Amino acid sequence: MSDHELRVSKIRNGTVIDHIAAGQALNVLAILGIDADSGETVSVGMRVPSDRLGSKDIVKVEGRELSQDEVDVISLIAPAASINIVREFDVVEKHRVERPDVVTGVLSCPNRHCITTGDEPVDSRFDVLDDGIRCQYCETIVREGIANHIDVD
């Protein structure tokens, strides 16, 4: 290792999310509900050199394996990401994210007149398009800034 490299230690158990689009690591943390008060051990690498992407972000979360819903939302902002499940320092499962057909309850509709943005107890539902997402209720399409509509508590 040269003087100009920084090595982040391996995690014993948990998840490594690799090949995240550069600049999206903080959005991935938001999807996972991780902030300064969450108490989870997390390592984040941002704008790390990558042969495949030019530059990428990496997130390591100790002691947690992601749900399919979390992976589905991550796939919207980081379609080239890979998920590595680590147990006792070994990668036991590795797969690329796949974009789902529908995402429910984790994104907010930007249309203020949509039934999902009012006081009605209706979960948002978005169809996943090749170039964005479409609200199933009001048909509003979002092509850019999908991360701005993440609504996880």
Side-chain angles (χ1 to χ4, degrees):
M1 185 163 66
S2 75
D3 292 337
H4 301 290
E5 291 181 50
L6 174 63
R7 174 171 280 171
V8 176
S9 63
K10 290 184 174 184
I11 60 175
R12 176 180 294 268
N13 296 298
T15 304
V16 177
I17 309 160
D18 198 0
H19 300 102
I20 301 167
Q24 294 295 326
L26 298 180
N27 290 322
V28 169
L29 293 177
I31 291 166
L32 300 178
I34 296 173
D35 60 21
D37 299 324
S38 66
E40 295 179 85
T41 301
V42 177
S43 299
V44 177
M46 296 182 76
R47 304 215 183 268
V48 177
S50 167
D51 290 336
R52 190 168 73 180
L53 299 175
S55 64
K56 66 180 181 178
D57 291 356
I58 303 170
V59 173
K60 296 182 178 188
V61 183
E62 181 75 39
R64 179 171 170 186
E65 293 184 16
L66 305 187
S67 71
Q68 189 59 52
D69 285 344
E70 291 169 325
V71 173
D72 287 348
V73 179
I74 289 169
S75 75
L76 299 177
I77 63 168
S82 60
I83 307 294
N84 302 295
I85 304 301
V86 179
R87 296 187 187 127
E88 293 302 322
F89 298 106
D90 289 324
V91 175
V92 297
E93 184 180 326
K94 181 175 186 169
H95 62 275
R96 305 241 346 234
V97 298
E98 294 180 19
R99 292 170 58 107
D101 294 328
V102 175
V103 177
T104 301
V106 292
L107 298 170
S108 61
C109 184
N111 177 355
R112 63 186 182 96
H113 298 295
C114 181
I115 191 169
T116 63
T117 60
D119 294 330
E120 299 295 326
V122 178
D123 284 338
S124 65
R125 286 182 58 86
F126 286 87
D127 294 318
V128 178
L129 311 173
D130 289 340
D131 62 344
I133 56 174
R134 179 180 53 232
C135 178
Q136 286 188 350
Y137 297 101
C138 70
E139 302 288 319
T140 297
I141 295 176
V142 178
R143 288 193 169 81
E144 296 180 8
I146 293 172
N148 297 331
H149 299 287
I150 295 167
D151 186 22
V152 290
D153 295 325

